[in-house]
Amino acid sequence: MTHVIVLNGGSSSGKTSIARALQELLPDPWLTLGADTFVEALPATGAGIEFGADGSVTVGPAFRRVEAAWIAGIAAMAAAGARIVVDEVFLGGAGSQEEWSRALAGLDVLWVGVRCDAEVAARREAARGDRVTGMAAKQAEAVHVGVTYDLVIDTARADTRTCAREIAARVR
């Protein structure tokens, strides 16, 4: 039985919309937690994360310590029986996946790459108005470097419901 679905993709790639659609499609209650939830929970200053004017994201040791606790907490909830969709941005590429893999060891995890053409993601980013301009383009490919997936979807080529249905079909 699948315990966790990890959606990894850049900013504005469609992860959150897919996660919400999965909550509607899947028969059991699924919690959605991820990068936005985590960043919103951080204090405004001193959290060790900086957003550059060019769309870059830089994290330091303070951020990494709290992030490790966040990941361990999500893994503990899944181990306790919660079914979770993780809406994530692997800023560290394969290293980020390794950290999640260690925390989720022993659980059935579906790893999903959420791809989106950089230009499409940039248009979505501009329409949203709540992101630093350039973040979507910088992350579109970088978050996938060295990451291994069970399934890859492309939100520039398929709508949210189609992508969610494809993921749901893989859930055990």
Side-chain angles (χ1 to χ4, degrees), residues 53-106:
D54 64 348
S56 61
V57 179
T58 306
V59 297
F63 177 89
R64 291 292 183 205
R65 279 191 303 277
V66 177
E67 179 189 41
W70 170 259
I71 292 168
I74 291 173
M77 286 190 296
R83 297 180 88 179
I84 301 175
V85 179
V86 176
D87 171 351
E88 190 56 84
V89 179
F90 287 174
L91 294 175
S96 295
Q97 185 178 33
E98 288 172 17
E99 186 171 356
W100 276 99
S101 290
R102 280 192 302 276
L104 298 171

Side-chain angles (χ1 to χ4, degrees), residues 7-41:
L7 305 176
N8 175 50
S11 179
S12 300
S13 63
K15 299 176 309 295
T16 303
S17 297
I18 291 168
R20 294 292 179 217
L22 283 167
Q23 287 178 310
E24 292 174 16
L25 288 171
L26 295 170
D28 296 318
W30 284 74
L31 301 175
T32 298
L33 300 166
D36 289 342
T37 317
F38 175 58
V39 170
E40 288 171 12

